[in-house]
Amino acid sequence: MLTRADAEAFDRDDPLKDRLSAFERTRGLYLDGHSLGPPTRRALLRLERTAREEWSERLVGAWNDDGDGGWIDLPARVGAKIARLIGVPPDDVAVSDSVSVNLFKLAAALLPPGKAIAVYEGEFPTDDYVMQGLASLVGAPLIRLASGAPLAGRTIGVLIKSAVDYRTAAAADIARFEAVAREIGAFVIWDLSHATGVLALDLARDGARFAVGCGYKYLNGGPGAPAFLYCMRSEAERLKNPISGWFGHAAPFDFTPDYRPAPSAKRFLAGTPPILSLAALDAALDVFDGVDMRAAEAKAQRLCAVFCTALAASGTDFEIAGGAAWRFDRAALAIRRGAHVGILHKDGYAIIRCLIERGVMGDFRAPNLMRFGFSPLFLRHVDAFDAAQALIDVMRSEAWRDPRFSVKEKVT
Ligand SMILES: Cc1ncc(COP(=O)(O)O)c(C=O)c1O
């Protein structure tokens, strides 16, 4: 039986406990870091500084400033910080646009003529939607693969695959996928949105060549923070960005009539970057300085395990998305997962609304998924324990049945 005292003991031994104070205090228990990370104090100060000192005072001169302020080099500087988190060389990551747009740019650049685009069923909707658009634009077939379907023997040009499933948090075996993809001549574009900042990723070791990911989830870059795009240097040389805007040009301020792409992943930039958002993301990433991502991954798994173990001890039947693999034992912890727990319930929306009123903030994804995110940098083990107790209480008391909790908001 896991007690709150056990959770407190984990907190005492937590190698990442010094990071908690880097974050601005949130109200209640914030379990939505998988959707929108909370601000760090540094990111808020940086926003203020970028707006007041750079935008207001330096104005257009800030593009060329040295240090933090040089706006023109911000996408590359932020890219280098993210590169460390995903295990690739610093120049191979460009920061721009959204995941949706970056998926389009990479897939369009990679798709060989006559080959199909493949997406797994149940993939995050935008990944599928964007590939529907690209397939109809270029007249390529779109294959929907059933979960676990083998790739061997198929004529796939580009496969879109989440490294961590947005519902179950199941983590893909990147090296294995890459080995099979190479055998069939396909390119995998990894969606790292739910993996970056919580798994000890090593894309170079695993042979991954292309990836995209969110800046506003576990990287805490703020609402609508720019996304990132990874393209292995040796592959970049031959790829054409379909949105060949001036920021992807080798020398944008030469104003030459021809388009000459930058040599690295930088060629996937398109237009003027959103400097305020980029500055916030730049500062937010500092919280990862000195963090051993293996320790972050281990803590995320332990937080999830504390939550699930406390739920299991309650006697109430919770259906964990992706199976009952989360238990607090060694075998369960050896299974690599992302940092959120999905629980299936047909009234999940009302249950989440009821919890939010009690100060426990998770989210809901239609049709029946409640999600609770356990970001390792700003949560404690007692938070995971207390969140489980709140959920157990809401279920036992059936407080969620109050009709006001079923009134649908635009964003769930
Ligand atoms: C796996 C995954 N991919 C992509 C996105 C959204 O990407 P964007 O809004 O940056 O296009 C999300 C957002 O939650 C996501 O979970």
Side-chain angles (χ1 to χ4, degrees):
M1 176 86 167
L2 179 87
T3 63
R4 196 169 194 280
D6 295 327
E8 282 167 356
F10 287 133
D11 286 331
R12 277 195 297 278
D13 293 341
D14 176 6
L16 299 174
K17 62 182 169 211
D18 65 326
R19 304 290 143 151
L20 302 174
S21 59
F23 289 86
E24 191 71 6
R25 230 187 225 305
T26 52
R27 264 186 293 133
L29 291 179
Y30 188 70
L31 307 182
D32 257 335
H34 59 281
S35 178
L36 173 68
T40 61
R41 294 180 201 284
R42 252 185 203 230
L44 295 180
L45 289 173
R46 179 69 175 278
L47 270 174
E48 174 87 8
R49 198 186 81 200
T50 305
R52 290 202 183 280
E53 292 173 23
E54 297 169 16
W55 182 21
S56 301
E57 288 175 30
R58 296 280 302 129
L59 286 157
V60 77
W63 283 104
N64 287 319
D65 279 350
D66 291 336
D68 277 352
W71 292 348
I72 195 68
D73 295 324
L74 253 186
R77 275 207 304 274
V78 178
K81 289 183 181 176
I82 294 173
R84 181 183 83 81
L85 300 181
I86 66 173
V88 301
D91 285 345
D92 288 2
V93 176
V95 178
S96 75
D97 305 310
S98 58
V99 170
S100 306
V101 173
N102 288 338
L103 278 170
F104 178 85
K105 290 185 294 190
L106 261 183
L110 283 167
L111 187 63
K115 288 209 175 178
I117 302 171
V119 182
Y120 277 96
E121 282 169 7
E123 188 52 90
F124 188 78
T126 206
D127 301 47
D128 194 296
Y129 299 158
V130 171
M131 291 308 122
Q132 289 177 37
L134 176 61
S136 74
L137 186 71
V138 300
L142 179 62
I143 300 175
R144 297 242 169 54
L145 299 162
S147 164
L151 298 178
R154 296 177 186 265
T155 318
I156 295 171
V158 169
L159 168 71
I160 310 296
K161 173 90 187 120
S162 276
V164 169
D165 187 288
Y166 80 100
R167 295 156 309 164
T168 64
D173 182 340
I174 295 179
R176 189 177 61 81
F177 266 94
E178 285 292 342
V180 180
R182 279 186 157 82
E183 269 169 33
I184 63 165
F187 301 112
V188 186
I189 303 176
W190 292 98
D191 185 336
L192 303 180
S193 296
H194 286 276
T196 318
V198 291
L199 288 187
L201 294 166
D202 195 338
L203 264 55
R205 177 201 62 201
D206 291 344
R209 294 162 285 175
F210 312 100
V212 297
C214 270
Y216 50 77
K217 297 181 187 292
Y218 296 112
L219 301 187
N220 313 305
F228 66 87
L229 178 155
Y230 155 63
C231 176
M232 196 182 191
R233 178 68 179 239
S234 55
E235 298 281 345
E237 308 286 321
R238 65 178 180 86
L239 295 177
K240 284 191 174 153
N241 179 354
I243 307 174
S244 42
W246 67 322
F247 270 73
H249 194 283
F253 285 86
D254 281 1
F255 279 74
T256 52
D258 62 313
Y259 179 75
R260 194 161 44 85
S264 59
K266 225 178 139 195
R267 68 179 52 198
F268 283 100
L269 299 180
T272 309
I275 294 300
L276 295 176
S277 289
L278 205 45
L281 176 58
D282 186 30
L285 284 163
D286 290 345
V287 77
F288 287 95
D289 277 357
V291 170
D292 177 346
M293 289 310 294
R294 285 167 305 186
E297 178 175 325
K299 180 175 173 189
Q301 311 253 323
R302 215 167 38 242
L303 289 168
C304 292
V306 166
F307 181 68
C308 290
T309 307
L311 292 184
S314 71
T316 309
D317 203 15
F318 290 100
E319 191 183 347
I320 309 270
W326 280 122
R327 276 187 321 275
F328 196 56
D329 58 39
R330 273 177 183 282
L333 283 175
I335 300 172
R336 201 176 195 209
R337 306 282 297 260
H340 67 269
V341 175
I343 298 178
L344 303 171
H345 195 291
K346 70 177 176 43
D347 295 300
Y349 181 77
I351 296 166
I352 287 289
R353 298 301 313 169
C354 182
L355 277 169
I356 290 173
E357 199 178 89
R358 292 172 179 217
V360 178
M361 202 174 243
D363 69 3
F364 173 77
R365 290 292 174 260
N368 61 349
L369 177 71
M370 299 186 274
R371 287 190 310 185
F372 302 92
F374 294 96
S375 182
L377 297 192
F378 64 84
L379 287 174
R380 302 166 305 167
H381 298 82
V382 286
D383 296 330
F385 187 87
D386 293 347
Q389 304 311 318
L391 177 55
I392 293 163
D393 188 59
V394 160
M395 297 309 289
R396 281 201 185 134
S397 64
E398 302 199 359
W400 58 269
R401 288 191 189 275
D402 189 311
R404 74 179 189 282
F405 296 126
S406 295
V407 179
K408 278 262 158 71
E409 305 258 13
K410 280 191 192 153
V411 177
T412 61

